[in-house]
Amino acid sequence: MPTIKDIAKAAGVSPASVSRVINNGPKVGAKTREKIKRIIREMEYQPNANAQAINMQNNASIGIVLADLTDPLFAKMAHGIEKVAAEQNLQIFLNSGAFDRASELDAIEVLLEHRYQALVVHSAMIDDKTLIDFARKVPGLVLLNRYIKEIEDRCIWLDDKLGGALMADHIVEKGHQKIAVIGVDGILNNTRYRLEGIKAQLNKYPVQFEVEMLEQGAATYEGGEVAVQNLLARGVEFSAILAYNDAIAIGATSMLKAHGLSVPKDVSVVGFNDLILAQCIKPKLTTIHNPIEEMAMKATKLALSLSKNSDLREIESVADKHKYVPVLVQRHSVQDIS
């Protein structure tokens, strides 16, 4: 049975455009509308009964947009949302943004076309202004793991700058001065905040952060491998690595070992997020604990409350209650050389 995505692919349009046509929504030109209708007929598409029910009973469901459904971090987000939904007997309808701006926009717009009143959105690619506009249109929209000052009461976020500072503090306290940093190419706000925290904290010590010590890449295991390969190829000397996340840290550890370097004897490594993988590798990874499941539960409860009562002052007036604090988890991947 064909899906909305199948129709969209055949028509060369976004799933949001197909959804608008099915629901007689605006913003679709006459020629495009007719083309989509023709393909719907040709493919014998039948609207999903569950989706139609959502339009009539949207108070019994919550729409979710997450950046990546394969990453363990986002699995923990989804689990937190699922807990709240189960407690309140709600249905979850989940879309993926796939770390792509157009896909994130489509994912949100499809949910809006189905008239969801409560939305939890993790957006890595959409600009602040667009998200602010969405928040003004949708009383129950909450941003997860994202901070925008203008709508801070709608944001549930981690103090990533503090997380970066904790990493830097720990590694300097262990005597390290040649410290490499592996970040992620500029697609995530929390990348910038973590790097700012690392730089600011290192500069408080006799350890100046140098640009050649920074390697940017993908937020994956493979990204960690490539980053270490690049650092070594450039002849950068380092006794420690601070990684944007655990996946990068584990990939970096693997590549260090491939080059005959021992962790932590030769190079110490610190990750971020404290996923289950951090405890499964050898040596177990020192990392920053990210309470993302708790944050997801908070975001879901807030979205549901806002969808029923748009007066934020009656729900929570202090934005700091929406900010979560990271914690350093010491394991075995850092060597004390002081």
Side-chain angles (χ1 to χ4, degrees):
M1 180 178 295
T3 66
I4 285 180
K5 288 185 177 180
D6 295 328
I7 302 296
K9 185 176 181 181
V13 299
S14 70
S17 295
V18 177
S19 181
R20 291 190 189 104
V21 172
I22 292 171
N23 292 287
N24 296 315
K27 301 181 182 179
V28 181
K31 288 185 179 179
T32 302
R33 187 179 296 272
E34 286 306 312
K35 180 180 180 181
I36 292 172
K37 286 183 176 179
R38 174 177 56 79
I39 292 174
I40 286 174
R41 291 193 297 270
E42 291 174 354
M43 297 183 73
E44 298 182 351
Y45 170 79
Q46 294 295 323
N48 187 297
N50 289 333
Q52 290 180 324
I54 293 165
N55 288 336
M56 301 300 294
Q57 300 179 358
N58 48 33
N59 285 330
S61 58
I62 183 166
I64 311 297
V65 177
L66 299 182
D68 185 356
L69 303 184
T70 61
D71 189 305
L73 180 71
F74 296 100
K76 291 185 76 172
M77 284 186 193
H79 190 240
I81 294 166
E82 185 181 43
K83 280 184 178 179
V84 176
E87 289 171 1
Q88 302 196 28
N89 197 28
L90 299 172
Q91 288 183 303
I92 296 175
F93 289 84
L94 178 62
N95 273 335
S96 170
F99 286 105
D100 175 78
R101 185 179 188 276
S103 296
E104 286 185 1
L105 287 170
D106 281 345
I108 295 173
E109 289 179 0
V110 165
L111 294 175
L112 296 183
E113 289 292 334
H114 285 91
R115 299 178 179 88
Y116 286 90
Q117 294 182 8
L119 298 180
V120 174
V121 175
H122 177 280
S123 172
M125 303 300 293
I126 300 175
D127 59 278
D128 288 359
K129 183 180 180 301
T130 301
L131 290 172
I132 291 169
D133 290 341
F134 275 129
R136 287 171 178 163
K137 294 174 185 176
V138 187
L141 184 146
V142 172
L143 297 181
L144 174 58
N145 208 33
R146 176 82 175 259
Y147 175 77
I148 301 176
K149 183 172 179 54
E150 290 83 351
I151 52 171
E152 59 185 5
D153 287 331
R154 304 283 202 93
C155 301
I156 304 297
W157 77 98
L158 183 72
D159 190 340
D160 283 292
K161 193 169 184 178
L162 174 60
L166 291 173
M167 299 171 85
D169 252 345
H170 180 64
I171 210 71
V172 173
E173 286 174 0
K174 297 299 183 182
H176 296 272
Q177 294 191 357
K178 296 180 179 179
I179 303 163
V181 178
I182 303 177
V184 177
D185 289 326
I187 61 169
L188 302 170
N189 284 328
N190 48 17
T191 300
R192 174 165 57 86
Y193 294 137
R194 290 176 195 178
L195 186 56
E196 285 177 0
I198 290 170
K199 287 180 178 179
Q201 203 65 21
L202 288 180
N203 288 337
K204 292 180 180 180
Y205 299 99
V207 182
Q208 296 299 311
F209 182 81
E210 304 293 343
V211 67
E212 62 266 20
M213 304 297 283
L214 174 65
E215 183 66 31
Q216 302 271 53
T220 61
Y221 176 92
E222 292 78 12
E225 288 188 317
V226 171
V228 167
Q229 190 85 311
N230 291 341
L231 286 167
L232 294 173
R234 296 207 316 268
V236 176
E237 294 184 13
F238 54 90
S239 66
I241 291 175
L242 305 182
Y244 167 77
N245 64 17
D246 291 342
I248 288 176
I250 294 170
T253 299
S254 173
M255 186 54 67
L256 288 168
K257 290 179 179 178
H259 282 267
L261 297 170
S262 171
V263 176
K265 183 179 179 181
D266 297 316
V267 180
S268 294
V269 178
V270 180
F272 202 112
N273 284 332
D274 192 25
L275 300 178
I276 188 65
L277 293 175
Q279 300 181 56
C280 296
I281 67 163
K282 292 184 179 180
K284 292 184 177 182
L285 185 66
T286 291
T287 185
I288 301 294
H289 179 69
N290 180 353
I292 195 63
E293 188 171 320
E294 184 181 345
M295 290 165 60
M297 294 175 69
K298 174 82 167 185
T300 307
K301 291 175 181 177
L302 180 60
L304 292 169
S305 296
L306 287 171
S307 69
K308 298 170 186 175
N309 180 359
S310 60
D311 191 345
L312 282 161
R313 293 170 299 177
E314 294 184 18
I315 298 171
E316 280 191 79
S317 59
V318 182
D320 274 354
K321 292 182 180 178
H322 297 175
K323 179 173 70 175
Y324 283 72
V325 178
V327 177
L328 177 75
V329 180
Q330 296 188 52
R331 294 197 178 100
H332 312 304
S333 63
V334 175
Q335 180 88 357
D336 190 337
I337 62 172
S338 60

